[in-house]
Each structure stands twice: as C-alpha cells, then as structure tokens.
Amino acid sequence: MSASDTAAGPLEAAAVAGASRREKRRERKKERRRKARREAAARARAADALAADPEEERRLLEQEEAEAAAESERARRAFEDAERRWLEAAAARAAEKAAAAAAAAEEARAAEASTREKSKDDHGNESEEDGEWEYIEDGPAEIIWQGNEIIVKKKKVKVPKGVKEKPPIQEEDRPTSNPLPPQSVAFAAQRAEPPMSAQEVLEKVAQETPNFGTEQDKAHCPFHLKTGACRFGVRCSRVHFYPDKSSTLLMKNMYNSPGLALEQDEGLESTDEEIEQSYEEFYEDVHTEFLKFGELANFKVCRNESFHLRGNVYVHYKSLDSALLAYSSMNGRYFAGKQITCEFVAVTRWKAAICGEYMRSKYKTCSHGVACNFIHCFRNPGGDYEWADWDNPPPRYWIRKMAALFGPAADTMHDKPSDTPVFERLQRSDRKRLKNSRDRSMLNICMFQEDTWMKMCIHILPKIIHVLNKSIVAAA
C-alpha cells in the first residue's frame, strides 16, 4: 500500500462521518416538524370537539375558575399570615419600649428620693436654725424691660418669723401706675407737648444732629430729605422722614408722556417740539386743577429716567390749609387712566432739591446723566415758578396775578429783593417773552380793578385760551 492510499483513508472516513451527522440533523428537524404538525392537528381536533360539545367547554371553564379561586385563596392566606407576624413583632417592640420607660422612670424616682434624703440630712441642722426666720420683700421695685415684657423685682430681707410689722416703703419710690416701656407709642403719647409741623420737626432734629442732611449724617437719608424720594426705597439703611401733613404734595410717576422714554422704547424718538407740546398740555390740565385749591409756591414735574423720580409731580402750596384741601380732593382720583396717589413730603427748599448743574445748563443735562439723584425738571410754559427753583421771591407781575385770583397776600416775604443775578436775567427774559405771547391779555386784566366780574373772567380766561390754542393747532 502506497503513502497516498494511506493518507486518503482517514479523509474519506471523516467525509462519511460528516455526511452521516448532517443526515441525522436533517432527520431530527423533520421529526420535530412532524411532531409540531401532529400537536397542531390535535389542538384543532380538540377545539372542534369543544365547539361541537358545549358541555365539555363548560366543564373546562369551571375547572379554570376553580384553579384561579384556589390560587387567590392561597395568596390571601399568605398575606394574612405575614400581617399577623408583623403585628405580633410590633406589639413585642412596644412592650419592650414601655418596660424600658417604666424602668427608667423608676430609676429616676429612686435617684430623686435618694437625693432628697441626702439633702434633708445635710441641711437638717441648718433648717433647725432657720426655722425662726423668714424672707420678705423690701425696698423699691426694680423695673426691667425685656422687649414687650415688664419684669418687676424687689429685694428680699431676712426677718424673724411672726413679726407683723414690716419696714415702711418710701412713697416716692413706690410706682403709682403700670409703667410703660420707653419705646412704646403710649409712652410717647403721654408726653404733654404741643404737636409740631413737619418743618418745625426738621429744624429741631437739625439743631440736635450734627451735619444734618449731609453725607456725613449716617442716620438720615439726605436724598429723601431734599427730594422726598430715594432710589433704595424701603430698603434704605437710613431714616426716611414722612410728615403727617405738609404744604408740599408729591404724586409719584404721574406724568408719563414723550420725553420719558423707557428702555424698551429707545427706538421711539420724539422731537423737542412734541415733548414741549405734550408737557404744555399736561401743565395746563394739572396746574389749573391744583390751582383751584389755593396759591402755589412751586409746581415741578421730573424728567429723570430713574424709577424713583421718573414722572414725579411736586405741588408746593403757600398755605398748609390749601395743601390739605388739595390732598383730600385729589387723592384717589384718576388721570390718564391711572389713579393718583398723593403723599406729603417735607420739600420746601427747591434750590437743594433741583440739580444745580442741570439748572445752569438751561434744562439740558448734567455730568451724572440719567443716574442723577437730584430733580431734573421740565421747564414750565412761560417760565412759571423758575424763581422758586432758586428760593427767590416771585416777580411783581406774578404777585399781581395771584392777588387778582386769591386776594392780596398776608405775608411780606415777597418784599425782599432777588439775590441771584442769573435769575434776574432769566426773569427779565421771561417777562419779555410773556409780553410777546398770547398771555398779554391776561397780564393786562391783572392790572385792572379787582371786582367780582373781573375775577370771574380771570378764572375762565385760561380755559378759553387753551381751547383757542387747540383750535389754532388743529387748523394749522
């Protein structure tokens, strides 16, 4: 036998063995398929038999229901057994805790009893000595305030027991009524002092406080004292003074028209003529309304863009009665769809309230820009009340005009001359402008005799001029 025949023998045997294994796998697959077909046929025959025999179907359904009921019963019993075991364990734990608490209480009582016995033994002799003495309260009462609570303490004195007489109490040291804490409102109300006005209170505090109303005064807010508004509001760390009545009224954020653009309205630009016309209309409406209650010392509208000053309207009356009447009449009314909220402020020195750099720039701007905390105001038509911005008296033509409306003034504060040269020039230019304006008839009427018919004309004439102005603008 050659070497090639020897090598071919195992290869042929392996090939035969591989073929036999494939045949066996093929046969097993065929057998599984035949078995699956037989089972499917059996199930089909059983289903046909059930469909043909209703009794058999009912029997199978009852058998399935019985098996489901038995299974649910076994689950319920297992749950009840588990719950019972848990309750027993919880009861055992509670009993253990109660026994431990009772044992601790018993130990505490025993320790307290032993401590009491020991203390009694230690102080037995001392108690025998002190049996003939007692402690009584003596001397004036000491009053201690702790918040809203009052504590009264007296000293105790050791005296022989059974002594009826006690040391006499000095009448001047004995409190005759329930004392009040110094910080209470009732304590302050008992002080028999006459009420003071807002200006008198400020003057009194200014005399008692060094550097009052300046940056060196760390107790009072200087901006709120000067302008009646603070950018920090109620969060300010310094004291804000809110008078209960004053001759100056403040309406916050009342004016909302061109010239007071918000951040979201930066793209909406308005010309100077539109801004001036809008403010003139506002001035004619609001100023005329507030003038009904009395003579005004100043009327200012803020054009700052800061929220605490933006659109604020200040109305300063010469008399306190006029301010109170205006407050009771205007507070809560509506203007331009918004409710008016009036408040009293202690602003009377307008030279300190208005930004001086802004005034010197002729109502244009200042170095602080929109972040300035002093008042940047609109210029009133005809230069009205510009003399009050420098705390100066009004000119003679204004005195005659107010005298025709409200009668001659009782005070003599208008007799002093003006001490501001720049203001004198502004005053002369304003008088010249007024002579060339449509208000010339108003000034001529003020020079006439003050009879009843003339006063009526003066009250009606501003409204007539306002209507004529509107008609001329509409016609143009």
Side-chain angles (χ1 to χ4, degrees), residues 303-370:
R303 64 182 307 171
N304 303 64
E305 294 186 10
S306 302
F307 181 75
H308 67 288
L309 289 174
R310 184 179 185 273
N312 288 1
V313 178
Y314 295 86
V315 182
H316 183 193
Y317 283 93
K318 285 191 61 178
S319 65
L320 180 62
D321 296 337
S322 301
L324 296 176
L325 180 60
Y327 178 86
S328 60
S329 302
M330 299 297 294
N331 190 31
R333 290 179 58 179
Y334 284 85
F335 177 80
K338 295 194 302 182
Q339 189 174 18
I340 302 174
T341 302
C342 303
E343 59 180 81
F344 292 110
V345 291
V347 180
T348 55
R349 297 180 64 249
W350 295 99
K351 188 175 181 180
I354 301 175
C355 179
E357 186 177 355
Y358 176 78
M359 294 296 294
R360 287 189 294 271
S361 66
K362 298 182 180 180
Y363 303 92
K364 291 182 180 180
T365 184
C366 76
S367 58
H368 296 280
V370 296

Side-chain angles (χ1 to χ4, degrees), residues 217-353:
D217 183 9
K218 302 302 181 182
H220 305 86
C221 180
F223 290 105
H224 192 272
L225 286 172
K226 295 175 182 178
T227 64
C230 175
R231 63 191 178 100
F232 297 105
V234 295
R235 298 180 289 106
C236 185
S237 59
R238 302 187 184 184
V239 177
H240 290 177
F241 178 66
Y242 297 95
D244 54 351
K245 54 184 178 179
S246 174
S247 59
T248 306
L249 297 179
L250 168 60
M251 283 65 67
K252 291 185 176 180
N253 310 121
M254 180 179 177
Y255 181 72
N256 187 13
S257 293
L260 296 176
L262 295 173
E263 294 180 359
Q264 61 268 21
D265 299 335
E266 290 181 355
L268 303 178
E269 297 182 357
S270 301
T271 61
D272 295 340
E273 291 76 9
E274 294 175 350
I275 295 174
E276 184 177 357
Q277 183 180 357
S278 175
Y279 178 69
E280 286 182 359
E281 294 176 357
F282 176 84
Y283 179 82
E284 290 176 359
D285 293 340
V286 179
H287 177 262
T288 306
E289 193 68 24
F290 277 101
L291 198 61
K292 294 178 180 179
F293 307 105
E295 184 177 352
L296 298 182
N298 204 350
F299 182 90
K300 291 299 171 189
V301 178
C302 294
R303 64 182 307 171
N304 303 64
E305 294 186 10
S306 302
F307 181 75
H308 67 288
L309 289 174
R310 184 179 185 273
N312 288 1
V313 178
Y314 295 86
V315 182
H316 183 193
Y317 283 93
K318 285 191 61 178
S319 65
L320 180 62
D321 296 337
S322 301
L324 296 176
L325 180 60
Y327 178 86
S328 60
S329 302
M330 299 297 294
N331 190 31
R333 290 179 58 179
Y334 284 85
F335 177 80
K338 295 194 302 182
Q339 189 174 18
I340 302 174
T341 302
C342 303
E343 59 180 81
F344 292 110
V345 291
V347 180
T348 55
R349 297 180 64 249
W350 295 99
K351 188 175 181 180

Side-chain angles (χ1 to χ4, degrees), residues 7-230:
L11 293 175
E12 292 178 358
V16 172
S20 63
R21 283 197 296 272
R22 284 193 296 273
E23 292 293 335
K24 288 179 181 179
R25 285 198 299 271
R26 192 178 294 111
E27 290 295 332
R28 284 196 297 270
K29 288 181 180 179
K30 289 181 179 180
E31 185 64 27
R32 285 196 296 270
R33 286 195 291 269
R34 284 194 293 268
K35 185 178 179 180
R37 285 195 293 270
R38 285 195 297 270
E39 290 177 355
R43 287 195 297 271
R45 287 193 297 271
D48 294 340
L50 289 175
D53 190 2
E55 294 295 334
E56 184 66 17
E57 185 178 3
R58 186 169 57 253
R59 183 183 65 78
L60 292 176
L61 290 175
E62 291 176 355
Q63 183 179 357
E64 292 177 358
E65 291 177 357
E67 292 177 356
E71 184 66 24
S72 63
E73 183 67 20
R74 284 194 299 271
R76 185 182 62 80
R77 288 178 181 177
F79 174 76
E80 289 179 353
D81 293 340
E83 186 178 11
R84 178 176 52 78
R85 288 193 299 271
W86 185 86
L87 291 175
E88 291 176 357
R93 289 194 298 271
E96 292 177 359
K97 288 183 180 179
E106 187 65 27
E107 291 178 1
R109 285 195 295 270
E112 186 179 358
S114 62
T115 304
R116 194 183 305 112
E117 289 292 334
K118 184 178 179 180
S119 177
K120 186 176 181 180
D121 294 340
D122 293 342
H123 299 284
N125 297 330
E126 186 177 353
S127 299
E128 291 177 359
E129 294 177 359
D130 295 340
E132 299 178 355
W133 298 87
E134 65 177 352
Y135 292 88
I136 63 173
E137 294 180 347
D138 184 25
E142 181 183 2
I143 303 173
I144 302 174
W145 284 281
Q146 292 184 356
N148 294 329
E149 183 180 1
I150 301 175
I151 300 175
V152 181
K153 287 186 177 181
K154 283 189 175 182
K155 295 181 180 180
K156 290 188 177 182
V157 181
K158 183 178 179 181
V159 297
K161 185 177 292 186
V163 178
K164 299 291 184 179
E165 298 179 357
K166 294 183 179 180
I169 301 176
Q170 298 180 2
E171 292 295 331
E172 59 272 16
D173 295 333
R174 182 176 63 84
T176 57
S177 62
N178 185 22
L180 298 170
Q183 66 273 19
S184 65
V185 179
F187 181 83
Q190 284 188 348
R191 299 176 62 185
E193 294 184 359
M196 295 186 296
S197 63
Q199 190 64 25
E200 293 175 349
V201 172
L202 286 179
E203 291 177 357
K204 182 178 180 181
V205 176
Q207 293 175 359
E208 298 174 354
T209 306
N211 300 321
F212 178 74
T214 62
E215 289 295 335
Q216 287 75 23
D217 183 9
K218 302 302 181 182
H220 305 86
C221 180
F223 290 105
H224 192 272
L225 286 172
K226 295 175 182 178
T227 64
C230 175

